[in-house]
Amino acid sequence: MPMFSEEVVSHKRGENGASLVYPVFSRRSEGLSLGVNLFPDRKRCNFDCPYCEVSHETTRTVFDIGNLNLAIKDFFERRYLRHWAGLPIKDICISGNGEPSLSPHLEAALELCAEYRRRFSSIAGASELVIITNSTGFLDPGVSELLARYVEREGLKIWAKLDSGSQDGFQALSRSAYRLDDIVDGIGRFARSWPVILQTMVCALNGEAPGTGEALAYAALLDRLLSLGAKIEAIQLYTIARTTADPSAQALSDGEMLAYAAMLGSHLGKKPSLRIFGRDGAIRAARE
């Protein structure tokens, strides 16, 4: 790994998470990623995942698109040149302190990120525009239409959460009122027309790691999506890498991640590419 500061490695978003933009070293992007935070004031999410590292602390920073413009401009004109000149920017990623599809500023933020990628093409022209979502936005036709537009126009990459193959597992990992079937149907409707990358957290809860039954249920769910014609580009299996807000969630070892992936892979055949990420980075790529 390059010699990044502790803040870049730990994904800290400034004082109490209040930064609008924050460079991080991303395991899954495998390099420098510029994060964009639509919720600098506090965590705003319709999930309450036990593995989430975002705290519930509040700040006085209110999101403003003009301030985001200034923050991105400052990164490209000053901070990047001072600290990371010559290092490829893998992606500009809208994520931050919550679920980005809940923000009324999502479209403006996407437009701004796309504009700066074009304006600073020598630095970011090869980077991807990414949104990390818990997939609930697919249940909203307006959000789905917005995301589809940016996939078509800007090549937006959508990392869509799907953490479990069973309702019980989904409930334990999302701690939400949503039904897994509704989430899967939403992903399926969107992905029939537009590609998605599934992101799947694999971790222990209260010391219990997911077993064969969970792997089989997840494989069945993927088969269901694929049978509906879903365009799934890849599946990211990843475990906890940073301190969580809830200690009941624990990371799996690389060996445990490989064992889970093997159980899953034996039932998937040569379907979407499967990438496995441990606490310290990519373990290996399977079925590329």
Side-chain angles (χ1 to χ4, degrees):
M1 181 188 295
M3 295 299 293
F4 292 119
S5 69
E6 185 277 334
E7 183 168 281
V8 171
V9 173
S10 67
H11 292 210
K12 290 179 67 177
R13 303 174 182 106
E15 183 86 23
N16 293 329
S19 295
L20 295 177
V21 301
Y22 52 99
V24 301
F25 182 83
S26 169
R27 290 176 298 162
R28 289 184 283 163
S29 298
E30 298 186 87
L32 186 64
S33 171
L34 182 63
V36 175
N37 184 11
L38 303 185
F39 307 113
D41 56 337
R42 63 183 175 91
K43 179 179 177 179
R44 295 174 185 264
C45 194
N46 45 11
F47 280 9
D48 186 26
C49 305
Y51 59 79
C52 183
E53 77 277 10
V54 179
S55 76
H56 288 274
E57 294 183 50
T58 60
T59 76
R60 295 181 180 179
T61 304
V62 177
F63 183 87
D64 178 84
I65 197 67
N67 288 337
L68 178 61
N69 178 47
L70 293 175
I72 298 178
K73 184 174 185 289
D74 180 65
F75 174 81
F76 282 112
E77 291 185 346
R78 186 181 64 85
R79 295 173 64 196
Y80 174 81
L81 296 175
R82 177 175 296 178
H83 299 290
W84 302 288
L87 190 67
I89 297 175
K90 295 291 188 176
D91 58 49
I92 302 173
C93 180
I94 296 181
S95 179
N97 297 338
E99 168 50 39
S101 67
L102 297 176
S103 171
H105 305 288
L106 176 58
E107 181 172 8
L110 284 167
E111 189 63 31
L112 200 58
C113 292
E115 177 187 335
Y116 272 97
R117 185 173 58 168
R118 289 189 293 270
R119 186 184 304 182
F120 290 89
S121 59
S122 62
I123 297 174
S127 65
E128 294 183 335
L129 183 60
V130 174
I131 184 170
I132 299 179
T133 174
N134 65 14
S135 301
T136 57
F138 297 129
L139 304 179
D140 183 327
V143 171
S144 291
E145 187 278 329
L146 170 62
L147 295 177
R149 187 157 20 103
Y150 277 85
V151 171
E152 183 175 33
R153 199 182 82 190
E154 302 291 348
L156 175 67
K157 295 289 185 179
I158 300 176
W159 294 8
K161 180 179 295 297
L162 185 62
D163 282 344
S164 178
S166 67
Q167 178 61 36
D168 287 346
F170 170 78
Q171 176 62 37
L173 286 171
S174 72
R175 296 194 296 204
S176 74
Y178 288 90
R179 295 178 64 252
L180 176 61
D181 283 346
D182 293 337
I183 297 295
V184 173
D185 288 345
I187 294 172
R189 283 193 299 272
F190 184 88
R192 279 197 293 270
S193 299
W194 309 103
V196 300
I197 295 171
L198 295 182
Q199 47 166 344
T200 300
M201 168 60 70
V202 187
C203 65
L205 291 179
N206 297 310
E208 185 175 347
T212 303
E214 176 57 36
L216 291 175
Y218 184 78
L221 209 57
L222 291 174
D223 281 336
R224 171 180 161 189
L225 282 168
L226 293 167
S227 69
L228 292 171
K231 299 175 182 179
I232 300 174
E233 284 188 344
I235 302 166
Q236 299 175 350
L237 295 180
Y238 69 110
T239 196
I240 295 167
R242 298 179 296 279
T243 302
T244 63
D246 185 339
S248 69
Q250 302 103 26
L252 298 191
S253 68
D254 286 0
E256 289 172 314
M257 289 296 293
L258 287 171
Y260 183 85
M263 287 190 292
L264 182 60
S266 66
H267 295 277
L268 289 177
K270 295 184 178 179
K271 289 177 181 176
S273 65
L274 183 64
R275 293 189 60 79
I276 311 159
F277 299 90
R279 287 172 291 191
D280 299 318
I283 301 174
R284 66 175 172 84
R287 305 193 330 276
E288 292 286 3

